[in-house]
Amino acid sequence: MSADGYSADQPAGERLQKVMAAAGVASRRVCEDYIAQGRVTVNGEPVVEPGRRVDPAVDEVALDGVAIQLDTTKRYVMLNKPTGVVSTMKDESGRPDLRRYTDRYDERLYNVGRLDAETSGLLLLTNDGELANVLAHPRFGVEKTYIAKVRGSVTAPVLRRLKEGVELDDGPIAADAARMLGNPVGGYSMVELTLHSGRNRIVRRMLAAVDHPVVELVRRSFGPLHLGTLAAGEVRDLTKVERGALLTLSRAARSGSDATDAAGAEARATVDDPDTLDTNPGAPR
């Protein structure tokens, strides 16, 4: 009999409710209730026995379909990249790079995708290579939303053309969504574009193709993540809810499941509804 009351012939690992509580989901008692209610899955299978043992380094746990981060060695950081900073860890030309933001962390963080030097906005930094590969791979179509200040007065036919598709040197491209923000002022318009392409400088090239060159460009969202009020040049760790949303998307994509799109929608809804993984606000964090 071991110190925690379990015999040597029982499965190795830690009790599920203990692992969930350590991950910051809720207290052990509340986690036991979640398990009894059938809201928890381990490796995709529902679990209703609170004594179930799991290996945090191997098993994947989810609550209400939203992934729970068990590997505490993984770090996820949001940066609002300023203009003038290149999206690399070391620039051979000596330009400002991302080391000024990553050097403060013990983990070796890398950027997921790139923003060109003159584009500001949301950039994800992480040491989770598997998740980074999913988010950056065009196969999985992770959406990004940009706000562009462009020259000229953008009209409804121009927005329709952006959504129907424009022809570029490397092939046609269409925005998933395009809309005006306010009215044109002083010869400039503000346009919001959403697309899932990862092609180089794609937003600038699309808008140039419709005769509205970009003056300023900022990425406001990346998958389920939103820049919010994070100031230019500032960084912050992702919240528990944001991490869950990203991991949910990553797991669905990695499994090759047709449910990837549904997982993405659920992940976005989770970020929009932060109570999804916080049903016990008084629980230890």
Side-chain angles (χ1 to χ4, degrees):
M1 186 75 68
S2 64
D4 62 359
Y6 283 81
S7 61
D9 60 351
Q10 288 183 309
E14 301 179 60
R15 296 181 68 180
L16 179 56
Q17 62 266 39
K18 177 182 177 182
V19 170
M20 292 176 62
V25 175
S27 67
R28 289 195 197 184
R29 181 58 59 84
V30 172
C31 289
E32 289 176 357
D33 291 340
Y34 292 160
I35 295 167
Q37 294 162 9
R39 297 170 61 184
V40 179
T41 60
V42 176
N43 301 325
E45 298 295 328
V47 175
V48 294
E49 310 88 5
R52 170 69 181 270
R53 287 178 171 260
V54 296
D55 182 351
V58 176
D59 294 315
E60 295 182 344
V61 178
L63 170 63
D64 294 333
V66 178
I68 299 172
Q69 181 191 357
L70 303 183
D71 186 352
T72 57
T73 67
K74 296 295 190 294
R75 190 153 202 159
Y76 309 90
V77 175
M78 182 187 297
L79 163 67
N80 185 348
K81 188 191 81 67
T83 57
V85 175
V86 294
S87 297
T88 182
M89 291 301 158
K90 185 175 182 180
D91 184 62
E92 295 180 355
S93 301
R95 293 173 296 178
D97 55 41
L98 298 176
R99 286 176 297 175
R100 61 182 60 195
Y101 307 107
T102 60
D103 283 351
R104 68 190 72 181
Y105 297 98
D106 293 332
E107 301 86 354
R108 293 187 64 186
L109 303 181
Y110 299 91
N111 48 300
V112 179
R114 294 174 178 268
L115 293 175
D116 65 68
E118 297 312 310
T119 298
S120 63
L122 199 161
L123 195 62
L124 178 64
L125 307 171
T126 185
N127 61 346
D128 187 339
E130 187 173 31
L131 178 137
N133 288 336
V134 168
L135 295 180
H137 200 292
R139 169 189 172 191
F140 302 113
V142 177
E143 285 188 343
K144 303 102 174 173
T145 297
Y146 299 81
I147 295 177
K149 179 180 180 180
V150 303
R151 296 187 186 279
S153 297
V154 175
T155 62
V158 169
L159 296 176
R160 185 165 57 249
R161 185 181 169 193
L162 289 168
K163 289 184 285 187
E164 292 175 351
V166 295
E167 190 70 35
L168 302 178
D169 292 341
D170 54 354
I173 182 69
D176 298 313
R179 66 181 182 123
M180 281 282 292
L181 299 178
N183 297 314
V185 176
Y188 297 97
S189 300
M190 301 294 291
V191 180
E192 182 183 88
L193 281 185
T194 299
L195 64 163
H196 58 269
S197 171
R199 286 151 65 178
N200 188 43
R201 299 176 65 87
I202 191 64
V203 174
R204 294 179 183 275
R205 293 193 289 136
M206 288 179 70
L207 290 165
V210 294
D211 300 320
H212 291 285
V214 170
V215 177
E216 297 176 14
L217 183 62
V218 57
R219 182 159 72 186
R220 294 294 306 175
S221 71
F222 182 79
L225 304 180
H226 301 272
L227 195 59
T229 59
L230 190 66
E234 294 297 316
V235 294
R236 68 168 176 84
D237 287 298
L238 296 192
T239 66
K240 176 179 62 181
V241 172
E242 290 170 330
R243 296 195 305 270
L246 282 183
L247 291 171
T248 300
L249 193 63
S250 175
R251 290 179 187 177
R254 189 184 67 240
S255 69
S257 170
D258 291 336
T260 301
D261 289 341
E266 183 173 15
R268 287 190 292 273
T270 301
V271 173
D272 291 337
D273 180 13
D275 289 336
T276 304
L277 283 180
D278 198 17
T279 52
N280 183 21
R285 294 293 184 266

